[in-house]
PDB file of all heavy atoms in Angstrom:
ATOM      1  N   GLY W 146     -10.097   9.928 -14.253  1.00 93.00           N
ATOM      2  CA  GLY W 146      -8.812  10.560 -14.563  1.00 93.00           C
ATOM      3  C   GLY W 146      -8.848  11.247 -15.923  1.00 93.00           C
ATOM      4  O   GLY W 146      -8.316  12.342 -16.102  1.00 93.00           O
ATOM      5  N   LEU W 147      -9.520  10.596 -16.869  1.00 89.00           N
ATOM      6  CA  LEU W 147      -9.647  11.175 -18.212  1.00 89.00           C
ATOM      7  C   LEU W 147     -10.518  12.439 -18.166  1.00 89.00           C
ATOM      8  O   LEU W 147     -10.182  13.459 -18.784  1.00 89.00           O
ATOM      9  CB  LEU W 147     -10.257  10.117 -19.153  1.00 89.00           C
ATOM     10  CG  LEU W 147     -10.409  10.466 -20.624  1.00 89.00           C
ATOM     11  CD1 LEU W 147      -9.101  10.933 -21.221  1.00 89.00           C
ATOM     12  CD2 LEU W 147     -10.925   9.239 -21.390  1.00 89.00           C
ATOM     13  N   ALA W 148     -11.605  12.358 -17.391  1.00 92.00           N
ATOM     14  CA  ALA W 148     -12.481  13.534 -17.246  1.00 92.00           C
ATOM     15  C   ALA W 148     -11.698  14.689 -16.620  1.00 92.00           C
ATOM     16  O   ALA W 148     -11.850  15.848 -17.034  1.00 92.00           O
ATOM     17  CB  ALA W 148     -13.691  13.180 -16.388  1.00 92.00           C
ATOM     18  N   ARG W 149     -10.834  14.381 -15.635  1.00 94.00           N
ATOM     19  CA  ARG W 149     -10.032  15.436 -15.001  1.00 94.00           C
ATOM     20  C   ARG W 149      -9.047  16.035 -16.010  1.00 94.00           C
ATOM     21  O   ARG W 149      -8.824  17.239 -16.031  1.00 94.00           O
ATOM     22  CB  ARG W 149      -9.282  14.871 -13.786  1.00 94.00           C
ATOM     23  CG  ARG W 149      -8.495  15.928 -13.036  1.00 94.00           C
ATOM     24  CD  ARG W 149      -7.889  15.394 -11.752  1.00 94.00           C
ATOM     25  NE  ARG W 149      -6.800  14.458 -12.010  1.00 94.00           N
ATOM     26  CZ  ARG W 149      -6.137  13.815 -11.053  1.00 94.00           C
ATOM     27  NH1 ARG W 149      -6.464  13.999  -9.785  1.00 94.00           N
ATOM     28  NH2 ARG W 149      -5.168  12.983 -11.355  1.00 94.00           N
ATOM     29  N   ALA W 150      -8.474  15.145 -16.845  1.00 92.00           N
ATOM     30  CA  ALA W 150      -7.481  15.617 -17.825  1.00 92.00           C
ATOM     31  C   ALA W 150      -8.095  16.595 -18.831  1.00 92.00           C
ATOM     32  O   ALA W 150      -7.421  17.493 -19.312  1.00 92.00           O
ATOM     33  CB  ALA W 150      -6.862  14.431 -18.549  1.00 92.00           C
ATOM     34  N   ILE W 151      -9.392  16.415 -19.134  1.00 89.00           N
ATOM     35  CA  ILE W 151     -10.000  17.271 -20.167  1.00 89.00           C
ATOM     36  C   ILE W 151     -10.865  18.390 -19.576  1.00 89.00           C
ATOM     37  O   ILE W 151     -11.404  19.203 -20.324  1.00 89.00           O
ATOM     38  CB  ILE W 151     -10.856  16.431 -21.162  1.00 89.00           C
ATOM     39  CG1 ILE W 151     -12.012  15.741 -20.433  1.00 89.00           C
ATOM     40  CG2 ILE W 151      -9.990  15.435 -21.891  1.00 89.00           C
ATOM     41  CD1 ILE W 151     -13.023  15.083 -21.367  1.00 89.00           C
ATOM     42  N   ALA W 152     -10.966  18.427 -18.237  1.00 90.00           N
ATOM     43  CA  ALA W 152     -11.916  19.357 -17.595  1.00 90.00           C
ATOM     44  C   ALA W 152     -11.660  20.808 -17.978  1.00 90.00           C
ATOM     45  O   ALA W 152     -12.592  21.577 -18.195  1.00 90.00           O
ATOM     46  CB  ALA W 152     -11.879  19.192 -16.084  1.00 90.00           C
ATOM     47  N   ALA W 153     -10.392  21.192 -18.049  1.00 87.00           N
ATOM     48  CA  ALA W 153     -10.085  22.596 -18.341  1.00 87.00           C
ATOM     49  C   ALA W 153      -9.813  22.824 -19.832  1.00 87.00           C
ATOM     50  O   ALA W 153      -9.250  23.855 -20.212  1.00 87.00           O
ATOM     51  CB  ALA W 153      -8.890  23.050 -17.506  1.00 87.00           C
ATOM     52  N   GLU W 154     -10.233  21.833 -20.663  1.00 87.00           N
ATOM     53  CA  GLU W 154     -10.077  21.928 -22.113  1.00 87.00           C
ATOM     54  C   GLU W 154      -8.654  22.298 -22.532  1.00 87.00           C
ATOM     55  O   GLU W 154      -8.414  23.358 -23.139  1.00 87.00           O
ATOM     56  CB  GLU W 154     -11.080  22.933 -22.684  1.00 87.00           C
ATOM     57  CG  GLU W 154     -12.457  22.733 -22.106  1.00 87.00           C
ATOM     58  CD  GLU W 154     -13.553  22.721 -23.151  1.00 87.00           C
ATOM     59  OE1 GLU W 154     -13.393  23.445 -24.128  1.00 87.00           O
ATOM     60  OE2 GLU W 154     -14.536  21.976 -22.975  1.00 87.00           O
ATOM     61  N   PRO W 155      -7.679  21.437 -22.180  1.00 90.00           N
ATOM     62  CA  PRO W 155      -6.276  21.752 -22.477  1.00 90.00           C
ATOM     63  C   PRO W 155      -5.957  21.616 -23.963  1.00 90.00           C
ATOM     64  O   PRO W 155      -6.661  20.917 -24.701  1.00 90.00           O
ATOM     65  CB  PRO W 155      -5.515  20.695 -21.679  1.00 90.00           C
ATOM     66  CG  PRO W 155      -6.450  19.543 -21.612  1.00 90.00           C
ATOM     67  CD  PRO W 155      -7.826  20.109 -21.553  1.00 90.00           C
ATOM     68  N   GLU W 156      -4.873  22.281 -24.368  1.00 91.00           N
ATOM     69  CA  GLU W 156      -4.429  22.193 -25.769  1.00 91.00           C
ATOM     70  C   GLU W 156      -3.657  20.901 -26.016  1.00 91.00           C
ATOM     71  O   GLU W 156      -3.569  20.417 -27.137  1.00 91.00           O
ATOM     72  CB  GLU W 156      -3.478  23.354 -26.093  1.00 91.00           C
ATOM     73  CG  GLU W 156      -4.097  24.723 -26.013  1.00 91.00           C
ATOM     74  CD  GLU W 156      -3.024  25.808 -26.023  1.00 91.00           C
ATOM     75  OE1 GLU W 156      -1.976  25.612 -26.652  1.00 91.00           O
ATOM     76  OE2 GLU W 156      -3.239  26.838 -25.362  1.00 91.00           O
ATOM     77  N   ILE W 157      -3.039  20.384 -24.934  1.00 93.00           N
ATOM     78  CA  ILE W 157      -2.179  19.194 -25.061  1.00 93.00           C
ATOM     79  C   ILE W 157      -2.609  18.195 -23.989  1.00 93.00           C
ATOM     80  O   ILE W 157      -2.776  18.572 -22.818  1.00 93.00           O
ATOM     81  CB  ILE W 157      -0.700  19.577 -24.839  1.00 93.00           C
ATOM     82  CG1 ILE W 157      -0.261  20.656 -25.832  1.00 93.00           C
ATOM     83  CG2 ILE W 157       0.206  18.356 -24.930  1.00 93.00           C
ATOM     84  CD1 ILE W 157       1.001  21.394 -25.440  1.00 93.00           C
ATOM     85  N   ILE W 158      -2.776  16.940 -24.381  1.00 93.00           N
ATOM     86  CA  ILE W 158      -3.148  15.922 -23.388  1.00 93.00           C
ATOM     87  C   ILE W 158      -2.134  14.785 -23.447  1.00 93.00           C
ATOM     88  O   ILE W 158      -1.799  14.293 -24.533  1.00 93.00           O
ATOM     89  CB  ILE W 158      -4.565  15.354 -23.633  1.00 93.00           C
ATOM     90  CG1 ILE W 158      -5.574  16.480 -23.894  1.00 93.00           C
ATOM     91  CG2 ILE W 158      -5.015  14.539 -22.427  1.00 93.00           C
ATOM     92  CD1 ILE W 158      -6.978  15.991 -24.194  1.00 93.00           C
ATOM     93  N   PHE W 159      -1.652  14.382 -22.261  1.00 94.00           N
ATOM     94  CA  PHE W 159      -0.724  13.258 -22.154  1.00 94.00           C
ATOM     95  C   PHE W 159      -1.459  12.064 -21.538  1.00 94.00           C
ATOM     96  O   PHE W 159      -2.199  12.231 -20.561  1.00 94.00           O
ATOM     97  CB  PHE W 159       0.461  13.621 -21.243  1.00 94.00           C
ATOM     98  CG  PHE W 159       1.460  14.546 -21.891  1.00 94.00           C
ATOM     99  CD1 PHE W 159       2.543  15.013 -21.162  1.00 94.00           C
ATOM    100  CD2 PHE W 159       1.346  14.933 -23.209  1.00 94.00           C
ATOM    101  CE1 PHE W 159       3.473  15.864 -21.743  1.00 94.00           C
ATOM    102  CE2 PHE W 159       2.267  15.779 -23.799  1.00 94.00           C
ATOM    103  CZ  PHE W 159       3.337  16.244 -23.062  1.00 94.00           C
ATOM    104  N   PHE W 160      -1.212  10.902 -22.082  1.00 93.00           N
ATOM    105  CA  PHE W 160      -1.815   9.680 -21.551  1.00 93.00           C
ATOM    106  C   PHE W 160      -0.687   8.709 -21.210  1.00 93.00           C
ATOM    107  O   PHE W 160       0.054   8.281 -22.100  1.00 93.00           O
ATOM    108  CB  PHE W 160      -2.741   9.036 -22.593  1.00 93.00           C
ATOM    109  CG  PHE W 160      -3.840   9.951 -23.068  1.00 93.00           C
ATOM    110  CD1 PHE W 160      -3.709  10.661 -24.251  1.00 93.00           C
ATOM    111  CD2 PHE W 160      -4.997  10.113 -22.328  1.00 93.00           C
ATOM    112  CE1 PHE W 160      -4.709  11.509 -24.704  1.00 93.00           C
ATOM    113  CE2 PHE W 160      -6.005  10.964 -22.762  1.00 93.00           C
ATOM    114  CZ  PHE W 160      -5.863  11.665 -23.952  1.00 93.00           C
ATOM    115  N   ASP W 161      -0.571   8.370 -19.943  1.00 92.00           N
ATOM    116  CA  ASP W 161       0.483   7.461 -19.489  1.00 92.00           C
ATOM    117  C   ASP W 161      -0.133   6.077 -19.281  1.00 92.00           C
ATOM    118  O   ASP W 161      -0.892   5.878 -18.335  1.00 92.00           O
ATOM    119  CB  ASP W 161       1.093   7.999 -18.185  1.00 92.00           C
ATOM    120  CG  ASP W 161       2.278   7.175 -17.712  1.00 92.00           C
ATOM    121  OD1 ASP W 161       2.625   6.173 -18.374  1.00 92.00           O
ATOM    122  OD2 ASP W 161       2.862   7.514 -16.670  1.00 92.00           O
ATOM    123  N   GLU W 162       0.195   5.158 -20.162  1.00 89.00           N
ATOM    124  CA  GLU W 162      -0.328   3.785 -20.094  1.00 89.00           C
ATOM    125  C   GLU W 162      -1.835   3.780 -19.814  1.00 89.00           C
ATOM    126  O   GLU W 162      -2.283   3.269 -18.776  1.00 89.00           O
ATOM    127  CB  GLU W 162       0.386   2.999 -18.972  1.00 89.00           C
ATOM    128  CG  GLU W 162       1.893   3.027 -19.049  1.00 89.00           C
ATOM    129  CD  GLU W 162       2.480   1.940 -19.944  1.00 89.00           C
ATOM    130  OE1 GLU W 162       1.688   1.239 -20.592  1.00 89.00           O
ATOM    131  OE2 GLU W 162       3.708   1.837 -19.983  1.00 89.00           O
ATOM    132  N   PRO W 163      -2.649   4.311 -20.714  1.00 88.00           N
ATOM    133  CA  PRO W 163      -4.069   4.493 -20.393  1.00 88.00           C
ATOM    134  C   PRO W 163      -4.860   3.207 -20.199  1.00 88.00           C
ATOM    135  O   PRO W 163      -5.923   3.235 -19.582  1.00 88.00           O
ATOM    136  CB  PRO W 163      -4.601   5.279 -21.602  1.00 88.00           C
ATOM    137  CG  PRO W 163      -3.646   5.014 -22.703  1.00 88.00           C
ATOM    138  CD  PRO W 163      -2.323   4.809 -22.059  1.00 88.00           C
ATOM    139  N   THR W 164      -4.355   2.069 -20.728  1.00 87.00           N
ATOM    140  CA  THR W 164      -5.157   0.839 -20.623  1.00 87.00           C
ATOM    141  C   THR W 164      -4.538  -0.205 -19.699  1.00 87.00           C
ATOM    142  O   THR W 164      -5.080  -1.308 -19.586  1.00 87.00           O
ATOM    143  CB  THR W 164      -5.355   0.213 -22.022  1.00 87.00           C
ATOM    144  OG1 THR W 164      -4.057   0.000 -22.607  1.00 87.00           O
ATOM    145  CG2 THR W 164      -6.175   1.110 -22.923  1.00 87.00           C
ATOM    146  N   THR W 165      -3.435   0.138 -19.031  1.00 84.00           N
ATOM    147  CA  THR W 165      -2.790  -0.834 -18.134  1.00 84.00           C
ATOM    148  C   THR W 165      -3.757  -1.269 -17.033  1.00 84.00           C
ATOM    149  O   THR W 165      -4.406  -0.440 -16.403  1.00 84.00           O
ATOM    150  CB  THR W 165      -1.532  -0.204 -17.491  1.00 84.00           C
ATOM    151  OG1 THR W 165      -0.633   0.105 -18.532  1.00 84.00           O
ATOM    152  CG2 THR W 165      -0.868  -1.157 -16.518  1.00 84.00           C
ATOM    153  N   GLY W 166      -3.850  -2.574 -16.834  1.00 79.00           N
ATOM    154  CA  GLY W 166      -4.672  -3.109 -15.743  1.00 79.00           C
ATOM    155  C   GLY W 166      -6.149  -3.214 -16.077  1.00 79.00           C
ATOM    156  O   GLY W 166      -6.947  -3.569 -15.196  1.00 79.00           O
ATOM    157  N   LEU W 167      -6.517  -2.909 -17.307  1.00 80.00           N
ATOM    158  CA  LEU W 167      -7.940  -2.996 -17.661  1.00 80.00           C
ATOM    159  C   LEU W 167      -8.199  -4.223 -18.526  1.00 80.00           C
ATOM    160  O   LEU W 167      -7.311  -4.684 -19.254  1.00 80.00           O
ATOM    161  CB  LEU W 167      -8.365  -1.739 -18.425  1.00 80.00           C
ATOM    162  CG  LEU W 167      -8.186  -0.405 -17.713  1.00 80.00           C
ATOM    163  CD1 LEU W 167      -8.659   0.730 -18.611  1.00 80.00           C
ATOM    164  CD2 LEU W 167      -8.930  -0.380 -16.388  1.00 80.00           C
TER     165      LEU W 167
END
Side-chain angles (χ1 to χ4, degrees):
Chain W
L147 183 54
R149 183 173 70 182
I151 62 171
E154 315 227 326
E156 296 167 32
I157 302 162
I158 313 178
F159 285 177
F160 303 98
D161 185 359
E162 307 274 6
T164 56
T165 298
L167 301 180

